Amino acid sequence: MEQIEAVADMIVESKKIVVFTGAGFSTESGVPDFRSPGGVWDTFDPNELNYQNFLSSEEIRGKYWRMHKMMWETIREAKPNAGHYAVTELHNMGKLDCVVTQNTDGLHQKAGVPDDKVLELHGTMQWVDCLECGQRYPRGDVHDKMLAGESVPRCDSCSGLLKPATVAFGQMMPQRETRESEVRSSSCDLFLAAGSSLVVYPAAQMPVIAKRSGARLVIFNLTPTPHDHHADIVINEKTGETLSRIVARAKEKLQA
Ligand code: ZN
């Protein structure tokens, strides 16, 4: 396919690649898009489970944790797919500046991208934070507390409220990650957006920032996005398989 050759050439020519991933990037790992029909939002009401209600109501906290228990049971066994490994390969080739992701499943790190190269715009399900003292717990440990009967788990050190380290509705986006993503997007030479419908702020503006700053932009998504007209190349195929073929081709070209 002509587009595969063209994107492989772009990778060969670039030095600082930002890879941006959304829910569609993890569906090939069996991680559902939790916002799509059939997801947890069919069972739970996202408006009710907002951050303010979480802080003020024990009943809402109970529901919130029930929802996150379901999500954790879905994602904890999830394995990185070909797309995640292709991104790791870009890192190994010295081409990756960073990954910016809307996903909270931790699969980029599981695939071997170092933690400090992954900017998680919506937080992570891999950790749980104490809202009082800031103590951080591995998600699996808190899951065990729930299995032992705590329906609303509390901090071991200070008994404060615990909350998954994901961004809830009504909760502020993480400032460092958001700012850092903007900076990296504006200084990369190639921006690969993969598996995101690019409609949610601040995700949607990153490809635009990159393009305006002179980077080349490639959008991989099964369906069209509102930013396709900014892109140098748009590929409406399964993201994991396609990216994997492209990175393999780029390696061949570099070794030739
Ligand atoms: Zn605490």
Side-chain angles (χ1 to χ4, degrees), residues 63-200:
K63 280 192 192 177
Y64 193 88
W65 275 107
R66 279 215 318 277
M67 174 181 75
H68 265 271
K69 185 166 175 285
M70 284 172 62
M71 289 159 90
W72 177 248
E73 285 168 351
T74 306
I75 73 130
R76 64 177 167 175
E77 302 294 346
K79 305 254 187 308
N81 64 54
H84 293 101
Y85 288 114
V87 175
T88 305
E89 201 51 45
L90 289 175
H91 167 65
N92 294 336
M93 290 158 70
K95 298 277 188 185
L96 182 73
D97 184 57
C98 70
V99 176
V100 178
T101 187
Q102 295 173 285
N103 299 336
T104 58
D105 51 39
L107 288 178
H108 285 292
Q109 293 94 324
K110 268 195 197 173
V113 178
D115 239 331
D116 63 359
K117 283 208 167 189
V118 183
L119 296 167
E120 295 168 311
L121 291 179
H122 297 169
T124 175
M125 278 197 239
Q126 299 291 337
W127 295 94
V128 170
D129 291 328
C130 172
L131 299 180
E132 300 295 325
C133 73
Q135 174 82 37
R136 189 158 250 218
Y137 298 90
R139 182 66 184 84
D141 292 2
V142 178
H143 190 67
D144 291 344
K145 282 158 82 84
M146 293 189 79
L147 293 180
E150 282 188 55
S151 55
V152 180
R154 293 261 175 179
C155 176
D156 288 338
S157 352
C158 78
S159 297
L161 288 178
L162 293 182
K163 188 187 155 296
T166 48
V167 178
F169 282 90
Q171 190 175 7
M172 233 173 54
M173 301 289 295
Q175 278 183 303
R176 184 193 73 84
E177 283 81 357
T178 305
R179 180 75 196 116
E180 190 69 14
S181 300
E182 289 168 356
V183 170
R184 303 294 190 96
S185 300
S186 69
S187 63
C188 67
D189 53 15
L190 177 59
F191 190 100
L192 306 176
S196 171
S197 48
L198 300 177
V199 287
V200 183

Side-chain angles (χ1 to χ4, degrees), residues 213-233:
S213 308
R216 291 198 272 195
L217 171 63
V218 181
I219 296 178
F220 304 82
N221 202 44
L222 272 180
T223 53
T225 81
H227 292 306
D228 288 356
H229 62 284
H230 292 297
D232 295 278
I233 294 179

